[in-house]
Amino acid sequence: MTTTTSSSVIPTLPGRYYTDPDLFALEQKNVFEAMWFCAVRSSDLPRPGSFRTVQVGAESILVTRARDGSARAFFNVCRHRGATLCTEESGEVKRAFQCPYHAWTYDLDGKLVAAPNLTKMADLDRVGYGLVKVHVREWLGYVWVCLADEPPSFEQDVQGAVAERLGTVELIDNYDVPNLEVGRRIVYDVRANWKLIVENFMECYHCATIHPELTEVLPEFADGYAAQYFVGHGAEFGEEVEGFTVDGSAGLDRIPGVSEEQDRRYYAITIKPQVFINLVPDHVILHRMFPLAVDRTVVECDWLYLPDVVASGKDLDKSVELFHRVNEQDFEACERCQPAMSSRTYRDGGVLVPSEHHIGAFHEWVQERIG
């Protein structure tokens, strides 16, 4: 599909891209298992031995913190007979991970350190039969993993997406995202294909229809053009709006590094394939998507605030409620679309209107990734 703006409408992806398990399997392999994937908040691994297991494509990945404080990630598979090593979503071990099947035991660096009768296997390479490592980067206070043997450039694919949206990657530093704290986390189980969720986040043609609270705070969204449509643009708060809250009342303490140009503005960033970042003067909202099936996507959403705001026990409800409602409204819309993707009437897809034309580039990217 070639995107063109010579027409006021351009075609979308055909319906099978949202329903075909074989295409989803290709996405697991060529997208989620090949690209940088935002796995966990760094603060979810507060100490050596803290861990979380996450689904990346078709693989279960164990993310932990080593003795030296660095983040590590491994395939969550015992090297003996392939048992799942950690069956819990999160937890903490003191010194090592032990397989519950035959007690093969691995230290926090992934090396095989113990097993029944290990001394009788002198020729067993304890490093070679250690846990299989996954590439790791920590940025913005999150642990990013890549399952590819040779990972793509983090600077180009991840940080580059921020630079493309804001004009320069350094502008996100004003929000001091690594040092913010999670004030609220909500997990959504969405019965829709992950691409429907990405497409929804990228456009605001629907905003006047389903987001009354958001368009009250950001009046320009009622015109149908999302902030992401323009490089460097942040949607301005309404004149009578005091803060990014469900009723437009005053927000919380402003992040000190936010510039005057960024104040009273909302910026949205999409980092393919599964991260959305929302920047406002007093907090940051970050979505991580975990596509689990062709028609099911779990979305983990963090609301991040200054540490003093979280520690003080200030009421976050009005601040959280605005985007929580936006999330529920968006995900309901995506779930309304999912069943119709298999309809004969959507076999050849639909159309993108002018304010959605930038989604065409996303569709081209999907097709290029999966072949």
Side-chain angles (χ1 to χ4, degrees):
M1 181 179 70
T2 301
T3 300
T4 176
T5 56
S6 61
S7 171
S8 64
V9 293
I10 59 176
T12 69
L13 291 172
R16 69 180 184 278
Y17 277 80
Y18 306 87
T19 62
D20 187 336
D22 292 335
L23 289 178
F24 181 70
L26 287 174
E27 291 171 344
Q28 288 181 305
K29 177 183 177 182
N30 297 333
V31 176
F32 306 114
E33 296 175 19
M35 300 183 66
W36 286 102
F37 190 100
C38 189
V40 305
R41 181 73 178 167
S42 296
S43 60
D44 291 335
L45 308 173
R47 293 171 294 277
S50 300
F51 71 87
R52 282 196 66 181
T53 56
V54 297
Q55 191 73 20
V56 181
E59 299 284 355
S60 175
I61 301 300
L62 171 64
V63 188
T64 188
R65 201 166 290 287
R67 292 288 170 201
D68 63 3
S70 63
R72 304 293 177 91
F74 311 95
F75 287 86
N76 188 23
V77 179
C78 179
R79 298 300 306 283
H80 172 220
R81 296 267 298 282
T84 299
L85 186 62
C86 291
T87 57
E88 298 177 344
E89 290 186 3
S90 62
E92 186 173 320
V93 297
K94 291 184 177 180
R95 296 183 181 85
F97 296 97
Q98 186 174 84
C99 178
Y101 193 6
H102 295 98
W104 277 39
T105 304
Y106 307 86
D107 68 15
L108 300 183
D109 292 321
K111 180 182 177 182
L112 177 64
V113 294
N117 304 317
L118 186 59
T119 56
K120 296 181 179 180
M121 297 178 282
D123 58 341
L124 182 67
D125 183 344
R126 298 191 185 194
V127 174
Y129 278 91
L131 299 177
V132 177
K133 295 181 180 180
V134 171
H135 298 281
V136 170
R137 289 285 297 266
E138 282 194 78
W139 189 57
L140 297 181
Y142 285 85
V143 179
W144 305 67
V145 301
C146 184
L147 279 56
D149 293 336
E150 297 293 335
S153 169
F154 189 89
E155 290 73 18
Q156 179 176 329
D157 286 7
V158 178
Q159 296 176 339
V162 175
E164 182 179 359
R165 170 67 191 92
L166 297 181
T168 172
V169 69
E170 286 76 20
L171 285 178
I172 201 170
D173 294 338
N174 294 356
Y175 294 85
D176 198 21
V177 185
N179 295 313
L180 301 181
E181 291 191 6
V182 179
R184 191 77 54 84
R185 171 175 291 165
I186 301 177
V187 179
Y188 306 86
D189 197 335
V190 187
R191 297 290 175 172
N193 183 271
W194 68 280
K195 295 186 295 299
L196 290 174
I197 299 173
V198 173
E199 293 160 9
N200 174 278
F201 184 73
M202 291 178 71
E203 55 93 356
C204 211
Y205 190 47
H206 66 277
C207 287
T209 307
I210 70 172
H211 295 321
E213 299 88 357
L214 184 63
T215 53
E216 281 292 323
V217 174
L218 304 174
E220 69 182 70
F221 274 15
D223 295 332
Y225 281 91
Q228 295 182 77
Y229 194 84
F230 308 101
V231 175
H233 178 70
E236 191 171 3
F237 294 3
E239 289 185 7
E240 305 299 321
V241 170
E242 296 183 63
F244 198 74
T245 57
V246 70
D247 58 0
S249 59
L252 298 147
D253 297 353
R254 175 176 159 183
I255 299 168
V258 171
S259 68
E260 290 299 322
E261 292 76 16
Q262 293 168 319
D263 193 23
R264 293 184 55 79
R265 289 185 180 272
Y266 162 83
Y267 297 86
I269 305 167
T270 301
I271 301 178
K272 297 190 294 287
Q274 45 86 243
V275 173
F276 307 146
I277 303 175
N278 310 270
L279 306 170
V280 292
D282 63 334
H283 64 283
V284 172
I285 308 163
L286 193 141
H287 299 67
R288 284 169 288 139
M289 293 193 303
F290 297 86
L292 301 184
V294 70
D295 59 355
R296 182 187 176 205
T297 308
V298 168
V299 183
E300 193 165 293
C301 188
D302 292 339
W303 281 258
L304 308 170
Y305 300 86
L306 289 170
D308 289 346
V309 169
V310 177
S312 70
K314 290 183 179 180
D315 188 356
L316 306 179
D317 287 351
K318 288 185 178 181
S319 176
V320 171
E321 182 64 22
L322 175 57
F323 227 85
H324 173 53
R325 289 193 192 181
V326 171
N327 285 338
E328 290 190 319
Q329 291 156 353
D330 280 339
F331 298 154
E332 180 183 0
C334 294
E335 290 181 333
R336 191 180 304 120
C337 290
Q338 183 63 41
M341 295 296 101
S342 59
S343 169
R344 70 182 71 179
T345 63
Y346 209 77
R347 180 184 59 195
D348 297 325
V351 295
L352 298 171
V353 301
S355 63
E356 302 170 311
H357 279 182
H358 57 298
I359 297 175
F362 171 65
H363 290 168
E364 289 183 343
W365 174 85
V366 169
Q367 291 179 313
E368 290 170 0
R369 295 295 306 191
I370 66 177

